[in-house]
Amino acid sequence: MSVLVVAEHLGGVLQSGTARVVAAALQMGDGVDVLVAGHNVSEVAEQAASLAGVRAVVVVDQPNLASQLAESVCEVVLTLVDSYSHLLAAASTFGKNLLPRVAGIKRLPQLSDVIEVISADTFKRPIYAGGAIATVQNTAPLKIITVRTSAFGAVGQAAAAAYSGVSVDVNNSLTSLVSETQADAAGPELGSARVVVSGGRGMGSKENFALIESLAGRLNAAVGASRAAVDAGYAANDLQVGQTGKIVAPELYVAVGISGAIQHLAGMKESRVIVAINQDEDAPIFKIADYGLKMDLFEALPQLESALS
Amino acid sequence: MKILVGVKRVIDYNVQVRVRPDETDVDLSNTKMAMNPFCEIAVEEAVRLKEQGIASEIVVVSVGPKVVQEQLRLAMALGADRAIQVETEDAVDSLAVAEVFAELVAQEQPGLVLLGKQSIDSDNNQTGQMLAGMAGLGQATFASAINFKEGCIQVTREVDGGLQTLELTLPAVVTTDLRLNEPRHARLPDIMKSKKKPIDVRPLGDFNVTAQNYLKVLKVQAPAQRQAGEMVASVAELVDKLKNQAGVIA
């Protein structure tokens, strides 16, 4: 059993999810290699090589991979993957974009959002927004899997694994990058933060949403938002927590002015401790919260911030 | 330009799914069903492109038993011109659906394929990307804006770090995210008129689905239920509990 993990990186930095995907990979096989595809990625390769349990890092560093487009990276993966039994990536927008394309070309199925490894060919994954958990056996010669990173702890650091450079012909003329706008990365990354503070429709406006950012700053927390808050324009799309946004499982999740729709709960109900602050005592969020506070959030937030300072 | 749009019949998004007591599957008997919300967004986008004069014909496709005709009729009431039902009683996975669409792309020669980014039942988020790979087309997933240029499109995608805009040669596959548009409701006269629009019913066996059944669902279970905790009376009490009971803040 050998596993190829596609590393995810941005601006020369390995994303924290990759260490968690490696942890999942080590439960499927002991030969875990990491693919780093991109341009000017030598630092990323070094970071990947120092993840504990990694056997080798394969580096494909060329200008035509600079934008990491799915069509281009797919060509790279296809040239490498035949000697592996498993192909893994994080269930992020990068991994979800790339792996099914590989699967379609290979005419093999893909398992999305795996949360538990039962054996090298049997996995658990949530369906129906986490309303049910399916145990699925995959007998394909190559098992293509995206991993829900919040369900696995990251591997630590170890002595650097070997890494080798490979060059691959990439012929993608289907797509090209026009522009990218990165959201301001104040505070920790939402997917791996120890504490997340999220605001919902109850925040009332984009200006009021600053109260969430302020409390998050106090707790060294990442900022999240419900779909309603994003749809209303209070928060950026990449902050959305839920079935179709980010799935998080921090030590502490503070939900402020969030009613608790099924699709939001799907994104945060695995958090260790959940706090809900809401004026509506019937809000479904209270049914899953460890600590509920029925209070006007515009009174509660300043009080909470001063109590923490 | 012709647009091919995928439509899936799924559990209504307001309904909490039940697991069968024998843990073989979920129980969808007597459950309210509807068009997958992301497919609604795909249909809406196609209709808007037709209203703008960019699309000339909208063909909606669903794979499933006869009841999926309800969702195809709704799509036609919203503005699609004709429908194809690929009929099967069996459950089909995203790979098989992608193979069906790849064959339909070869037959229908659309300029654009619009699909939802995921269905809210299996939550896979795969079919569009699989189709694009098989058909050798470019893909733009998680689309929140589509702009037509000469011979190509620019699509803005909602990605983890923010927004990304790609240019794609046509034909291409685009999968819709929540903020691409707000779907309209069907009007009664349009629902009546949609009954006259054609649905071409074709058995799944007419398609060259080569995908083998590598996936086997062994069990479907209810998730571990979280217990409701306690209500606290004040911010001070909350902070105290977080510090001294839960130990999550210093």
Side-chain angles (χ1 to χ4, degrees), chain A residues 31-286:
Chain A
V32 175
D33 295 348
V34 177
L35 166 65
V36 176
H39 187 45
N40 295 329
V41 289
S42 54
E43 283 173 30
V44 178
E46 278 174 36
Q47 292 157 25
S50 66
L51 294 177
V54 170
R55 179 176 69 181
V57 175
V58 183
V59 187
V60 187
D61 191 334
Q62 44 198 55
N64 56 11
L65 292 172
S67 321
Q68 300 184 53
L69 299 173
E71 293 82 355
S72 306
V73 179
C74 179
E75 292 184 46
V76 175
V77 171
L78 288 170
T79 63
L80 299 171
V81 80
D82 285 341
S83 54
Y84 293 92
S85 58
H86 296 69
L87 172 66
L88 268 60
S92 58
T93 54
F94 173 79
K96 285 176 176 173
N97 194 32
L98 172 65
L99 257 50
R101 186 174 178 94
V102 177
I105 293 171
K106 303 289 283 180
R107 305 260 169 169
L108 292 173
Q110 190 218 289
L111 286 180
S112 297
D113 262 316
V114 161
I115 55 168
E116 191 179 330
V117 180
I118 309 285
S119 71
D121 72 356
T122 304
F123 311 91
K124 284 192 180 182
R125 61 175 300 265
I127 52 178
Y128 293 89
I133 307 294
T135 303
V136 188
Q137 186 177 35
N138 181 354
T139 54
L142 173 67
K143 296 165 206 359
I144 305 176
I145 292 166
T146 60
V147 174
R148 177 170 292 186
T149 51
S150 63
F152 295 87
V155 296
Q157 304 278 306
Y163 57 99
S164 56
V166 176
S167 82
V168 176
D169 276 340
V170 173
N171 301 305
N172 172 31
S173 58
L174 300 167
T175 49
S176 57
L177 178 68
V178 176
S179 64
E180 253 172 330
T181 47
Q182 297 296 334
D184 306 335
E189 192 188 333
L190 183 54
S192 58
R194 206 188 70 84
V195 181
V196 173
V197 182
S198 286
R201 197 200 301 273
M203 297 310 299
S205 72
K206 191 173 168 99
E207 291 67 39
N208 292 342
F209 206 83
L211 292 168
I212 295 291
E213 288 153 14
S214 176
L215 177 61
R218 181 73 65 195
L219 287 165
N220 190 28
V223 174
S226 71
R227 175 183 161 186
V230 175
D231 283 352
Y234 305 164
N237 65 279
D238 54 301
L239 300 184
Q240 183 179 323
V241 172
Q243 180 185 16
T244 69
K246 297 230 172 49
I247 314 281
V248 300
E251 285 287 295
L252 172 62
Y253 187 91
V254 184
V256 185
I258 291 177
S259 63
I262 294 168
Q263 62 85 20
H264 183 75
L265 303 186
M268 44 64 80
K269 67 180 178 181
E270 301 304 320
S271 306
R272 190 165 82 77
V273 175
I274 296 173
V275 171
I277 302 173
N278 204 304
Q279 203 164 20
D280 173 11
E281 63 189 324
D282 297 323
I285 191 82
F286 286 130

Side-chain angles (χ1 to χ4, degrees), chain B residues 63-66 68 86-93 96-97 204-205 213:
Chain B
V63 182
K66 188 161 201 285
V68 305
V86 179
E87 188 158 35
T88 175
E89 293 295 323
D90 299 333
V92 281
D93 66 6
V97 173
L204 181 64
N213 293 322

